[in-house]
Amino acid sequence: MHRVLKRIAAASLVLHCGASMAADLCVDTGAELQQALSIAQSNGEDDTIKIETGTYSLPGGATAFEYFSGQGDALSIEGGYSGGLLCGRKRNIASLTVLSGGGAQQVMRLRAWGDGTISVKNLSIRDGDSAADGGGLYIGDPGSTFMAGFVGDVNVERVIFEFNHSGARGGALYVATNAGLVRVNGSLFAFNQCADNYCALLVESPNAPLALPVQVYLGGNTLTVNRCSNGAPINCNMEAAGFEGPQHVRLYHNLFAFQSEYDLYAYDPDTEVDLYYNNIDQVFGTLDDEVGSMNIDDPLFIDVLGDDFRLQSTSPMLNHGNAPLPPTSIDLNGRTRIIGSAPDLGAYEFNPALFDDGFEEEP
C-alpha cells in the first residue's frame, strides 16, 4: 500500500509516496502535535499521528490539544516513537510519551461526529483539569435529539491516565459514541478526581438505539486510588467506571483497588454489564453476568505512594485471568502478556526478566 509520510516542521516538510488516502504524521513538539491534529481534522484521509518520546504541553486555552471534525476518516494517535523524520523506531512503553495539561487544562479533546475510528495508544495523559467532562481525554460527541453525534469505534490501548481532574464527569477519560465498538484495554487509571462521578472513566451512548447497543470491552486495566474531589456533592460516589445508555459492557481481567466508594456503576436499565475474572469491590446496580470475581483489598502493588502499580511476585492477581476474551499482547511496559498459566489481572504482567527494552522497528 502506498502511504503519505509527513513530518510537521517549521517548513512543513512533506514527502509524498503515491496517492493513497492515508497519512503518517511524525511530531516531536507540542506545537507540531496540535498542527498535526489540525491537518488531520480536515484532510479527508485516515491519519496516524506518531509522537516521539518526551513530554508535551501547549499552555494557553482550556484544552492543550484539540481535534474537531465531522469527517468519516480514522484517526490514530500513538506514542513511543524515535528515529527522526519518519519516526522509524517505536518503543512500547507508555510512560515514555507524556501529554500534560499542567494542572490547568484539559489534556486532549477529540471531538468528532462522524463514523471514523478514533484510537489513542501507548502514551501517558496526566495533570489535566477541566470544568467539563473528560479532564484528561475526551473522545467523540454524545449528540442530541436532533443530531446523532459520534457513531464510530473507539480504541484506547495501553494508556496511563494519572492526576487528571474533571469538574463534571470522567475525570480521566470520557467517551461518547452512539454506535459501534468501544475498547479500553491494558491501561492504568490512578489518582484521578472528579466532582460528578466516574472519576476514572465514563462511556455513554445517550442516543444509541435500544435494538443496536454499543459494544464495550474493558480488559486488563488497573483502576486505583481514583476519588471524588474535595467539595464534591455528596452524590459523587462512583469513583472509578461508569456506563450509560444502550450498551453491552464486558469487563475482564481488570484490577480495581483502593477506591473509597463504588468501583462500578451498573444501574442504567439500558446497559447490560458482564464481569469475567476481575478484582472488584463495590458495584452499584445489578450485573447481568459475573464469573470468577475476586474482592481482595490489597493486590500487593510494588509501591502505591511511589506510583508503581506493577505487581509483587506474591500478588494474588497473578495468573487469575481466565476470560474468553484475549488480553493485549504486551503490557504497559512493553512486556509480553501471559508469562505464567494465565493473564495477570490489571495493566501490568508480572515478569521476572531482568531486561526488556520494548523496541519495535516500524516498516
Side-chain angles (χ1 to χ4, degrees):
M1 176 184 292
H2 295 296
R3 298 185 67 82
V4 181
L5 300 176
K6 301 181 180 179
R7 171 60 186 268
I8 309 304
S12 296
L13 176 62
V14 180
L15 302 178
H16 292 276
C17 300
S20 170
M21 298 300 285
D24 284 358
L25 303 101
C26 178
V27 304
D28 69 355
T29 70
E32 289 182 4
L33 175 54
Q34 181 54 56
Q35 188 179 356
L37 289 167
S38 298
I39 290 171
Q41 70 187 14
S42 59
N43 66 356
E45 302 179 0
D46 293 337
D47 296 285
T48 298
I49 299 175
K50 298 179 177 181
I51 309 174
E52 296 197 8
T53 57
T55 298
Y56 294 78
S57 61
L58 200 63
T63 302
F65 305 105
E66 190 157 15
Y67 170 94
F68 186 80
S69 180
Q71 65 184 13
D73 302 293
L75 172 68
S76 182
I77 300 169
E78 304 176 8
Y81 286 90
S82 60
L85 180 65
L86 302 182
C87 281
R89 203 175 190 197
K90 182 181 180 184
R91 201 170 185 191
N92 287 310
I93 299 177
S95 61
L96 297 180
T97 306
V98 180
L99 310 185
S100 173
Q105 300 170 282
Q106 182 181 52
V107 179
M108 180 173 280
R109 184 178 178 91
L110 306 175
R111 188 179 176 198
W113 58 97
D115 60 358
T117 298
I118 296 178
S119 300
V120 180
K121 303 178 182 179
N122 195 46
L123 49 78
S124 298
I125 292 177
R126 59 182 296 139
D127 300 314
D129 189 35
S130 175
D133 296 333
L137 176 61
Y138 179 112
I139 299 177
D141 188 279
S144 66
T145 304
F146 308 102
M147 186 177 76
F150 183 58
V151 289
D153 296 343
V154 173
N155 183 22
V156 176
E157 183 174 318
R158 301 179 52 255
V159 176
I160 297 173
F161 294 92
E162 290 189 309
F163 303 104
N164 299 289
H165 172 262
S166 168
R169 307 168 302 165
L173 173 64
Y174 170 83
V175 175
T177 186
N178 292 305
L181 177 67
V182 175
R183 292 188 180 95
V184 181
N185 291 332
S187 296
L188 168 67
F189 297 81
F191 302 114
N192 301 290
Q193 296 187 343
C194 66
D196 189 18
N197 290 311
Y198 320 127
C199 301
L201 68 99
L202 168 62
V203 179
E204 72 167 346
S205 309
N207 294 298
L210 285 171
L212 196 62
V214 173
Q215 303 297 306
V216 182
Y217 294 87
L218 199 75
N221 304 284
T222 297
L223 302 95
T224 184
V225 204
N226 300 289
R227 292 281 189 274
C228 292
S229 52
N230 291 334
I234 192 169
N235 63 346
C236 180
N237 54 16
M238 311 296 168
E239 292 188 324
F243 307 91
E244 295 186 355
Q247 298 175 11
H248 184 185
V249 183
R250 302 164 183 87
L251 294 93
Y252 60 100
H253 299 163
N254 298 291
L255 196 174
F256 293 81
F258 301 135
Q259 277 76 231
S260 61
E261 298 283 349
Y262 291 101
D263 290 321
L264 175 64
Y265 177 80
Y267 192 71
D268 190 321
D270 295 333
T271 305
E272 179 181 346
V273 180
D274 302 328
L275 265 64
Y276 304 107
Y277 295 89
N278 300 273
N279 186 73
I280 191 164
D281 183 10
Q282 299 186 69
V283 176
F284 185 84
T286 303
L287 300 169
D288 291 273
D289 194 15
E290 184 175 15
V291 178
S293 291
M294 295 196 300
N295 180 1
I296 294 176
D297 291 336
D298 187 354
L300 297 183
F301 295 127
I302 287 180
D303 185 0
V304 173
L305 296 180
D307 194 22
D308 189 343
F309 294 101
R310 294 174 298 161
L311 301 171
Q312 297 181 34
S313 61
T314 54
S315 169
M317 306 296 110
L318 270 57
N319 302 318
H320 186 71
N322 192 29
L325 297 161
T328 55
S329 59
I330 53 176
D331 73 358
L332 274 174
N333 278 335
R335 292 182 166 184
T336 302
R337 277 288 198 182
I338 314 183
I339 299 300
S341 59
D344 300 339
L345 300 193
Y348 295 98
E349 186 82 4
F350 176 76
N351 190 330
L354 296 177
F355 178 77
D356 194 340
D357 66 10
F359 271 117
E360 170 186 334
E361 296 291 341
E362 287 293 294

